[in-house]
């Protein structure tokens, strides 16, 4: 759009433009509800004459286009997840790409970090998951293209990369039948100017163990790994079609921690899957206490149209029980997180500053991904710090999801 002369803003609290494009998520109920509410807010703005055109694209639109067209007629056009060229055409524009800057992109993050998607789609078919229905089969981007983009982003001032995919560890299998994620991350780490690489959304089955060597040995690959495990009970894992067992999961966690000492693991767990008994849930509780995940999120199961569980299983766990289980699980995790963060008091950690907020500078360690993980708060009256710069920070206080640092040792 910017190549065609549009001036774009992202997630504006007070939109001033004539055209609004809402990019939606269609993965779970909460995300779908947020997407619908956002569309309705802008539909009202259009009715009131505050905007002229409203377009919707993304996963929700991909899945429910026909229904949404009927329900929200104020929208001028609906597009799928990848159909931005049609949107441009409808705006009487054409998709342009500067041949000299093939990876030109507008960062909607602070300029010192970026998200880097290395593949699209997923060939795993977990019973509850709609992602394969929305995004299709796994498609890896060519490695040379990814590395060129990293070099370009470094040239724009990006220092930190969140490497993302629906299934990170499958990278390369669709190209030549082999997993190439370790090779890709190693080559990324070789690029001058890449300070931090953080890995999101791996899968436990057929995990490429050589990736752990890269995490352990490369100084700029963060000791951090995001792997959604979902559950631990064998009957539930089987019904989820996760292709992993309770015993294999315990061994998996033990091996990761043994091979990469100090690694911070992020995971996601699900409660209330069809058939989940109190005994199944208690297994999940004990697993959470044992694993002591440094970062953990959880959500209650919701049946998704077109998925195996949505079409074949009765959603038989009452909503109030789902919520009670979710609350209990997160209370336990809150205590675990508090203990893990408190153990950092007295340590000196490398911190990147994201912003100044009130009386604090807000930063993160290598163990913290933007938006979702604990932040480090540093009193702003100590000295001036610069966003995007690294500092050695002594941790002097901790809460469940925040650290405090009051002594800046030196600018790295």
């Amino acid at each position: 759009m910017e190549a065609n002369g549009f001036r774009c803003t992202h997630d504006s609290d007070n939109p001033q433009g004539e055209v609004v494009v809402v990019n939606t998520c269609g993965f779970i109920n909460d995300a779908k509800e947020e997407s619908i509410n956002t569309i309705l807010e802008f539909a009202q703005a259009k009715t009131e004459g505050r905007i002229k055109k409203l377009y919707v694209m993304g996963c929700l639109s991909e899945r429910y286009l026909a229904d949404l067209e009927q329900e929200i007629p104020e929208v001028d056009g609906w597009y799928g997840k990848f159909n931005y060229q049609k949107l441009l055409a409808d705006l009487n524009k054409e998709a342009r790409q500067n041949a000299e800057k093939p990876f030109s992109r507008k960062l909607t993050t602070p300029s010192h970090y970026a998200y880097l998607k290395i593949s699209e789609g997923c060939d795993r078919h977990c019973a509850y998951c709609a992602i394969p229905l929305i995004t299709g089969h796994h498609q890896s981007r060519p490695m040379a293209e990814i590395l060129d983009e990293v070099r370009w982003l470094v040239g724009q001032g990006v220092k930190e990369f969140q490497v993302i995919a629906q299934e990170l560890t499958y990278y390369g299998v669709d190209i030549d039948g082999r997993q190439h994620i370790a090779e890709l991350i190693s080559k990324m780490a070789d690029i001058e100017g890449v300070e931090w690489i953080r890995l999101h959304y791996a899968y436990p089955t057929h995990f490429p163990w050589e990736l752990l060597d890269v995490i352990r040995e490369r100084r700029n690959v963060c000791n951090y790994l995001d792997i959604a495990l979902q559950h631990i009970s064998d009957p539930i894992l089987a019904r989820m079609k996760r292709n992993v067992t309770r015993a294999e999961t315990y061994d998996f966690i033990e091996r990761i921690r043994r091979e990469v000492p100090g690694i911070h693991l992020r995971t996601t767990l699900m409660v209330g899957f069809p058939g989940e008994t109190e005994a199944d849930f208690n297994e999940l509780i004990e697993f959470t206490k044992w694993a002591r995940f440094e970062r953990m999120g959880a959500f209650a199961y919701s049946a998704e149209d077109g998925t195996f569980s949505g079409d074949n299983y009765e959603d038989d766990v009452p909503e109030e029980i789902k919520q009670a289980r979710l609350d209990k699980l997160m209370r336990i995790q809150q205590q675990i997180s508090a203990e893990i963060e408190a153990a950092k008091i007295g340590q000196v950690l490398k911190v990147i500053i994201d912003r100044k907020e009130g009386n604090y500078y807000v930063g993160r360690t290598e163990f913290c991904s933007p938006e979702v993980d604990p932040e480090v708060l540093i009193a702003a009256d100590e000295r001036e710090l610069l966003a995007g710069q690294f500092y050695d920070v002594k941790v002097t206080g901790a809460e469940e999801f925040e650290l405090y640092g009051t002594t800046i040792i030196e600018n790295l």
Side-chain angles (χ1 to χ4, degrees), residues 101-165:
K101 297 181 179 180
F103 303 108
S104 179
R105 48 184 277 199
K106 179 181 175 69
L107 289 177
T108 57
T109 58
S111 60
H112 55 276
Y113 71 81
Y115 294 91
L116 183 73
K117 180 168 274 192
I118 65 170
S119 65
E120 189 68 72
C122 185
D123 285 349
R124 314 282 190 179
H125 292 281
C126 302
Y128 51 83
C129 186
I131 285 178
L133 302 175
I134 300 169
T135 61
H137 289 295
H138 182 102
Q139 296 183 39
S140 302
R141 293 178 58 195
M143 188 177 299
E145 176 185 291
I146 295 170
L147 296 174
D148 282 346
E149 182 174 6
V150 171
R151 295 184 188 97
W152 185 87
L153 287 167
V154 167
Q156 309 309 302
V158 175
K159 302 175 180 179
E160 174 187 356
F161 293 83
Q162 327 299 331
V163 180
I164 60 172

Side-chain angles (χ1 to χ4, degrees), residues 258-274:
R258 183 172 65 250
E259 295 197 17
V260 188
I263 194 170
H264 279 42
L265 295 178
R266 164 168 279 282
T267 197
T268 306
L269 301 177
M270 184 191 302
V271 301
F273 190 78

Side-chain angles (χ1 to χ4, degrees), residues 177-209:
R178 296 168 51 226
Q179 292 167 296
H180 287 278
I181 184 64
E183 178 188 359
L184 172 65
I185 300 305
S186 182
K187 288 184 175 180
M188 276 185 62
D190 286 337
I191 296 174
E192 185 176 356
V194 174
E195 295 283 347
W196 275 353
I197 300 169
R198 195 174 289 106
L199 306 178
H200 283 276
Y201 320 128
Y203 195 90
T205 305
H206 305 303
F207 184 83
W209 293 108

Side-chain angles (χ1 to χ4, degrees), residues 268-378:
T268 306
L269 301 177
M270 184 191 302
V271 301
F273 190 78
E276 184 187 59
T277 66
E278 198 66 27
D280 294 322
F281 176 66
N282 287 335
E283 279 192 55
L284 189 61
I285 290 292
E286 293 307 309
F287 173 63
T288 302
K289 292 177 179 178
W290 172 84
R292 293 181 63 81
F293 294 108
E294 288 80 8
R295 315 284 182 244
M296 192 194 86
F299 62 100
Y301 169 80
S302 61
E304 297 297 322
D305 298 335
T307 63
F308 184 88
S309 61
D311 292 346
N312 294 278
Y313 297 154
E314 179 186 356
D315 190 1
D316 58 357
V317 180
E319 291 301 320
E320 61 271 21
I321 292 180
K322 289 180 185 177
Q323 190 61 49
R325 290 176 180 175
L326 181 61
D327 292 343
K328 181 176 181 179
L329 185 64
M330 292 311 298
R331 283 196 301 270
I332 291 169
Q333 178 59 29
Q334 184 174 1
Q335 180 60 37
I336 291 170
S337 180
E339 294 168 359
I340 288 172
E341 297 306 293
K344 295 185 172 75
I345 294 175
Q347 295 182 18
V348 176
L349 301 174
K350 181 179 178 180
V351 170
I352 193 167
I353 302 300
D354 283 336
R355 64 192 184 278
K356 184 179 180 183
E357 195 170 284
N359 295 323
Y360 290 96
Y361 290 106
V362 182
R364 291 173 294 105
T365 70
E366 68 172 298
F367 309 119
C368 303
S369 199
E371 307 285 342
V372 296
D373 289 332
E375 295 176 317
V376 182
L377 304 183
I378 304 162

